[in-house]
Amino acid sequence: MTERKIIDVAAGLILRGDGALLLGQRPADKPWPGWWELPGGKLEPGETVLQALTRELHEEIGIRVTQAWPWVTYVHHYPHSTVRLAFCQVTAWEGEPAGLENQQLRWVDPAQALSDALRQGDDLDPDKPDGRVLPATIPPLRWLQLPTTYGISGIGSPSHLPAFLQRLDAALARGLKLVQLREPDWPEGPHAESLRTAFLQVLERCHAAGARLLINSMHPEPWWHQADGVHLRTAQAVVLQSRPSLPSDALVGVSAHTQGDITHARKLGADFAVLGAVLATPSHPGEPGMGWAGFAEGLRDAGLPVFALGGQSEATRDIARSHGAHGIAGIRAVL
C-alpha cells in the first residue's frame, strides 16, 4: 500500500475577548463544501507555522495577526487525504474579519459549537454539510473547554489540611477550575481513611466553585469515580492499553516525561498530558529540568493539550504558551 502524503496546514483559533471563536464556511469549489472550519491553509515551502498562519489569515479573511500562540499539532485522516494541523490560538489582530473567498463567517460559542458538532453522528457525507462542523475542527473545540491552569495538591498531613483548604478557597475564588489531589507522602498512606475524608472536603469545595477535581492514580480507584476523573502516573499509564473505564464526562490526564509518554497518552485517549519538569523546582534540588527546548520537542505532534510542569507560575505562562503549552500546572505557585 502506498503511504499517504501528509499535508501540513496552519489553522487559527481566532478568539475574541469574550471567548467567541471565528468559524468559516468552506467555499463551493473546495472539498467538503459548506462545512464549517477554522480559517487557515497549507504551509508553503520554507514557511514556519506562524508565518503560514499570518499569510493565510490575511489572504483569506483580511486580518493582520499581531499575537498568536502555537498550540496543538494533530494529524487527521480524511477518506482521501491526511492532514497535519498545527492549531494556533490567535488572540490579537488588526482589521475586521471578512470572507475574501466568498465564504461565510460566524462567531460561535465554542462550548455550544462542540455540543452541536457532537450531535452530527457518524454519517459524515462530505456532500451533505447541513450546517455541520468539519470533523478535524471538533478536537480543538473540545480542548478549548479545558482550563489553562492546573493546580496540584500538596497537603502533606491531616494537621496541614485546614491551611490547605484556606489556600484552595483563595485559588478557587481567583478562578481556578481544575485541581488534582495527589498526596504521595500522606503519613497513613495513599489509601488512608483520613485522606479520603480530606478528599471529600476538597471535592465539595471544588464543586461549589464550579471546578473539577481529578484523583491521582496512586489513590484508590473508587475515588476516581467519586471525583471528576483520574490523573494517571507515567508508570501506570504506559502499561494500559485503553482509556480507564469512567463516566463519559470524566477527564483523564497523564503525567509525561518524554515525547513517547505523550504519544502513549494520545493512544489511550487521554484528554490532556502534563510534561515536565521543565525548570528546576524546590522538590528536586540540583535537577535543572528539561528546559523549554526540551519541552517543545516533547510535545511535537502531541495530538492533545499539554500543560507545562516544573517551576511554573504566572511569570512563566507566556513563555510556556510560546513553546506550545496549553497552560501551566503546579503545586506551590497555584495552590
Side-chain angles (χ1 to χ4, degrees):
M1 180 181 295
T2 303
E3 186 175 348
R4 279 186 179 183
K5 179 183 177 182
I6 295 179
I7 302 170
D8 284 296
V9 172
L13 288 94
I14 302 170
L15 293 159
R16 287 194 320 209
D18 63 359
L21 172 72
L22 186 69
L23 294 180
Q25 195 169 35
R26 290 182 64 80
D29 60 346
K30 292 187 177 181
W32 298 78
W35 289 69
W36 292 91
E37 66 175 352
L38 298 166
K42 298 177 185 177
L43 273 67
E44 293 183 351
E47 280 187 322
T48 66
V49 167
L50 291 179
Q51 287 171 342
L53 181 72
T54 299
R55 175 184 54 77
E56 284 284 348
L57 295 187
H58 186 261
E59 294 173 357
E60 187 177 332
I61 59 175
I63 65 172
R64 189 176 77 84
V65 174
T66 57
Q67 186 176 65
W69 310 92
W71 190 30
V72 180
T73 300
Y74 173 80
V75 175
H76 187 86
H77 301 283
Y78 284 101
H80 303 295
S81 65
T82 297
V83 290
R84 179 164 45 223
L85 293 141
F87 293 113
C88 303
Q89 294 190 20
V90 179
T91 51
W93 61 90
E94 294 176 351
E96 186 66 26
L100 301 184
E101 298 177 348
N102 296 318
Q103 77 275 39
Q104 296 295 314
L105 302 178
R106 69 179 181 188
W107 292 99
V108 301
D109 172 72
Q112 184 60 54
L114 174 62
S115 178
D116 293 343
L118 293 177
R119 288 199 295 269
Q120 291 178 177
D122 297 324
D123 180 23
L124 299 179
D125 185 341
D127 298 320
K128 298 178 181 179
D130 194 27
R132 293 181 171 189
V133 172
L134 204 65
T137 299
I138 296 176
L141 291 176
R142 181 182 295 112
W143 301 331
L144 280 178
Q145 309 311 308
L146 272 178
T148 57
T149 302
Y150 187 23
I152 303 170
S153 74
I155 306 171
S157 69
S159 64
H160 294 146
L161 180 60
F164 172 80
L165 292 176
Q166 287 186 342
R167 297 197 303 274
L168 174 64
D169 288 341
L172 293 171
R174 293 192 300 268
L176 181 66
K177 294 298 182 184
L178 187 61
V179 179
Q180 177 193 158
L181 185 81
R182 176 185 177 276
E183 295 296 329
D185 301 320
W186 197 260
E188 300 167 57
H191 294 67
E193 184 61 28
S194 59
L195 181 55
R196 182 177 180 276
T197 299
F199 151 57
L200 293 175
Q201 292 184 59
V202 172
L203 181 65
E204 181 181 12
R205 279 170 156 79
C206 286
H207 284 181
R212 289 185 283 186
L213 177 67
L214 305 189
I215 298 296
N216 189 278
S217 60
M218 71 176 66
H219 302 302
E221 187 170 343
W223 300 6
W224 310 357
H225 295 264
Q226 289 180 273
D228 302 298
V230 62
H231 187 103
L232 298 169
R233 295 171 293 166
T234 307
Q236 186 163 357
V238 297
V239 300
L240 293 178
Q241 298 302 312
S242 61
R243 181 183 172 97
S245 179
L246 292 169
S248 59
D249 59 347
L251 291 175
V252 175
V254 173
S255 289
H257 304 292
T258 67
Q259 186 182 25
D261 295 338
I262 290 181
T263 298
H264 188 68
R266 183 180 70 243
K267 291 178 179 177
L268 286 180
D271 296 289
F272 66 90
V274 172
L275 179 62
V278 180
L279 306 176
T281 63
S283 59
H284 296 83
E287 298 182 18
M290 64 178 61
W292 288 114
F295 177 81
E297 178 62 22
L299 55 73
R300 181 166 50 87
D301 293 342
L304 78 172
V306 179
F307 290 85
L309 175 70
Q312 303 304 302
S313 68
E314 284 302 320
T316 64
R317 182 182 294 277
D318 282 357
I319 191 169
R321 294 188 72 187
S322 71
H323 287 84
H326 175 76
I328 58 170
I331 302 174
R332 295 166 184 81
V334 179
L335 285 173

